[in-house]
Structures are given as C-alpha cells and as structure tokens.
Amino acid sequence: NEVLKMNLFGDSDYLEKLSLKGDPLERLEKVVDFECFRPTLNRIFKYDLKNKSHGGRPPYDLVLMLKILILQRLYNLSDDAMEYQMIDRISFRRFLKIDDKVPDAKTIWNFRNQLSKSNRGNWLFSAFQEKLESQGMIAHKGQIVDATFIEAPKQRNPKDENELIKANRVPVNWTKNKRAQKDTAARWTIKGNERHYGYKNHIAIDTKSKFVKNYQTTPANVHDSQVIGVLVDPDEITLADSAYQNQATPKGAELFTCLKNTRCKSLKADDKMFNKIISKIRVRIEHVFGFVENSMHGSSLRSIGFDRAVLNTDLTNLTYNLLRYEQVKRLNLKTWR
C-alpha cells in the first residue's frame, strides 16, 4: 500500500532521468492524443455521461483502460503482470496518468472480455486510421501483403476429438466448463518444416509509410492467398511473395508477385532480376513483422477462442501503427509523400 501511495511528484528526479534516457512511453504520449478514441469507446460500450448510474463504485475511465491494453500488447504482459508493472514502474504510471488507484488484473480482464464480445475492436483501429488519413500519412501509391502466425496455447485432445473439431463439430461428451477451456477455432499448420498452432494475422501495409492499412484474422491453416481479395484496396499496385501468385484481386488492384521455380524449369536471368526488384520493396512488410516480434515481444495469444484472437490482432496492429506514428513524427520522416 505504501508503494501505491507514492506520489509522482516525489519521483520527479527519476522521471527526469527517464526523460533524458528517452522514455518511449513519454514520447508516445506527447504525439498521440488518446482522447481521439473516446467517442469510439463510448459507442462500443454504449457509455452515456448523462445517463450513467450514480450507485456503486464508479468505473475506470475507458481511455485509461484502452491505454492499459496497449501497454499489455506492447510488452506482451499477462493481466497479473500488468497489474504488478503498474504498481512497480513509474514510467507506466506516468503514461497512464495514475498514482494510487491502479486497476487490478480482474478489472483488466473484464474490460478486454467486454471489448472482445462486442466484436468491435476494429473500430479502434479505424478511428486511428482516420487520423492517419486526415494527416496525409497514407500515400495510397502501393500496398504490400503478407501474413504472420499468432501462436496460441496448444490443445491436447485425443485423435477422435481432433477429427470432430476439424469438421467444425464439438464432442458431445464435453461439458459446458470443458468447452469454455477448449479452442475449437485454432488450427495446426506446417511452414518450412515447422509446426504452428493458432491463428494468422494477414496484413496489407502502405508501401511508402509502412502503416498497416487493413488486416484479417484467420486460423493458422488458411493459406495466405485466400484473403487477399478483402485485404487490398482497388486501383493500387499490390506486391506480394510467390504464395500469392495468380490470385484474384479487386478490380484495378494490379498484383505483382515474386516468381518461383517449377520442377521442370528454373528461373531465367530476367526472372531473377524481376524477383530482386520486387523483393527490395516487398521487404518493407518484414520490417513490420520484425518490429512486432522484437520490439513488441512477439505475436502470441494467451487466451482461447476466435473472438479473443481477433481482438489480439486488433490491438497488435493498432499498437504498431501508434508506435510507427510516433517514429514518423519524431524523425520527421517524409517517406509517405
């Protein structure tokens, strides 16, 4: 309790040192007006200040709770770990603008669960996307598509139960409580001799600015090329790897993919040069995945169920765009123009 009562003004020396060291959360707070999310949060939670109840303990501020979820996704923390870090780290408390009233793990879980059930986490992504569009940060002069795995908690089911799950059926002997602990939407797949279990985050990024423009969440066994039709914008050049070769795209979205060898025919010199040119631009989407894996501590899922996996993807792509926005502002980049 004594730690919770500690006033941030008493930590001014430490906060000043954090600022001199370049606190990334302070930089993010300076360039992003998180109040831009309040109207969207109010619509999602149907929160009306005029009609709110005056009984019981007042709820935590919606923008505060969203910022907590963003911190969780940035540092890949569980609910309990997030509660501990808010108590322990003054940089977290400064970013969240809290002192002695820290939401506990159950409160964090409940907020995220309500947001997940609403299936409207993408509204938050769209709200910030509108801000990027209004500032001209999305060039609309080309797009790149690719996908990455979201590793989920592995399910240990008997073979006969797995066969039913693959057929989108639930074993009749599963109780209600057991069903709540089983993820029937996640799937196994193999890529490069490595087995993956969970989901995929399919994204389309703006070629110039590297902001995520659109995304889709699917089980891990869905091939990358199956969602390109809903990912890309029409009337823009689309770049992709060889997995997307010969796939249909919306009218006007011209697709260029890397070429691949066939069993009886190797690539000619001109084809190899073409691949080299495409790869030099297409590699920008790997920068996005690299940032998620390294700076955001990986793309994984602690919860079970498709709706929660979708929210995890919503928060991953939103958090990446927020941090990319801070980087663009701080470095005064002009690459989108």
Side-chain angles (χ1 to χ4, degrees):
N1 290 334
E2 291 300 321
V3 175
L4 290 176
K5 293 178 182 178
M6 183 167 37
N7 193 296
L8 286 178
F9 290 105
D11 296 325
S12 58
D13 290 341
Y14 292 105
L15 290 171
E16 185 178 351
K17 289 181 180 179
L18 281 172
S19 298
L20 291 174
K21 291 290 184 180
D23 180 6
L25 297 181
E26 183 183 30
R27 295 200 304 256
L28 182 62
E29 177 70 19
K30 284 182 178 179
V31 300
V32 177
D33 179 13
F34 285 92
E35 284 297 316
C36 73
F37 294 106
R38 188 175 297 280
T40 303
L41 288 167
N42 287 341
R43 285 193 295 128
I44 293 174
F45 289 92
K46 297 181 173 58
Y47 186 72
D48 188 347
L49 289 173
K50 295 180 181 179
N51 300 319
K52 69 177 183 178
S53 172
H54 293 284
R57 182 178 179 179
Y60 283 98
D61 181 67
L62 294 176
V63 174
L64 167 65
M65 297 307 299
L66 173 60
K67 290 172 75 175
I68 289 174
L69 295 191
I70 289 170
L71 276 183
Q72 268 195 298
R73 182 64 281 270
L74 175 57
Y75 293 98
N76 201 5
L77 298 172
S78 67
D79 295 337
D80 288 315
M82 186 64 207
E83 179 185 356
Y84 176 85
Q85 292 296 341
M86 285 189 293
I87 297 171
D88 185 60
R89 296 175 66 167
I90 58 175
S91 62
F92 275 32
R93 296 200 300 277
R94 174 166 67 176
F95 175 73
L96 297 171
K97 295 183 174 63
I98 56 176
D99 186 9
D100 61 342
K101 192 178 180 183
V102 176
D104 59 21
K106 184 64 176 178
T107 302
I108 299 171
W109 180 91
N110 186 56
F111 177 79
R112 188 178 56 254
N113 191 51
Q114 290 183 61
L115 186 56
S116 173
K117 287 183 176 180
S118 74
N119 292 312
R120 292 170 179 172
N122 61 318
W123 288 15
L124 298 167
F125 178 89
S126 298
F128 191 66
Q129 196 75 356
E130 290 177 5
K131 182 181 181 69
L132 295 176
E133 293 280 4
S134 67
Q135 295 186 13
M137 290 194 172
I138 308 295
H140 293 292
K141 294 181 179 179
Q143 54 204 340
I144 309 171
V145 296
D146 208 345
T148 188
F149 291 108
I150 305 170
E151 302 293 342
K154 294 179 175 61
Q155 303 284 293
R156 307 296 182 183
N157 303 314
K159 185 176 180 180
D160 58 334
E161 291 185 354
N162 278 331
E163 292 300 322
L164 290 173
I165 293 171
K166 289 179 182 178
N168 296 319
R169 296 166 59 190
V170 177
V172 293
N173 62 329
W174 282 8
T175 64
K176 182 180 179 180
N177 289 336
K178 188 170 184 177
R179 292 184 184 189
Q181 299 299 321
K182 291 293 185 179
D183 194 335
T184 58
R187 292 291 184 269
W188 285 98
T189 192
I190 299 176
K191 183 176 181 180
N193 297 322
E194 291 186 4
R195 291 172 60 82
H196 299 273
Y197 179 79
Y199 300 88
K200 272 185 180 179
N201 178 16
H202 304 260
I203 67 172
I205 70 166
D206 186 74
T207 303
K208 292 289 185 181
S209 63
K210 292 197 290 191
F211 284 109
V212 176
K213 295 168 50 181
N214 198 3
Y215 61 93
Q216 289 288 320
T217 308
T218 68
N221 64 337
V222 174
H223 194 268
D224 296 0
S225 62
Q226 298 304 302
V227 296
I228 189 172
V230 295
L231 269 184
V232 301
D233 292 332
D235 303 319
E236 286 190 36
I237 294 175
T238 304
L239 302 181
D241 62 23
S242 58
Y244 296 85
Q245 194 169 341
N246 300 322
Q247 296 299 314
T249 57
K251 186 177 181 181
E254 193 172 2
L255 177 64
F256 293 93
T257 66
C258 292
L259 304 175
K260 56 184 177 181
N261 293 320
T262 60
R263 287 185 177 182
C264 303
K265 188 178 180 181
S266 60
L267 291 179
K268 298 179 180 179
D270 289 346
D271 294 334
K272 292 180 179 179
M273 180 58 68
F274 176 82
N275 281 355
K276 187 175 181 179
I277 294 171
I278 294 292
S279 297
K280 279 186 176 181
I281 305 173
R282 198 198 66 80
V283 73
R284 293 178 183 178
I285 201 167
E286 301 298 339
H287 300 164
V288 178
F289 295 143
F291 187 91
V292 172
E293 290 300 317
N294 297 316
S295 298
M296 292 173 60
H297 307 276
S299 183
S300 59
L301 186 66
R302 287 187 172 84
S303 56
I304 61 174
F306 184 72
D307 289 343
R308 291 170 179 170
V310 170
L311 178 61
N312 180 76
T313 306
D314 295 331
L315 293 172
T316 296
N317 295 323
L318 171 60
T319 302
Y320 166 79
N321 273 2
L322 288 169
L323 296 170
R324 175 60 178 165
Y325 179 77
E326 185 279 323
Q327 183 186 49
V328 167
K329 286 288 190 179
R330 172 167 46 89
L331 301 179
N332 196 25
L333 300 179
K334 306 295 183 183
T335 55
W336 63 91
R337 294 181 180 176

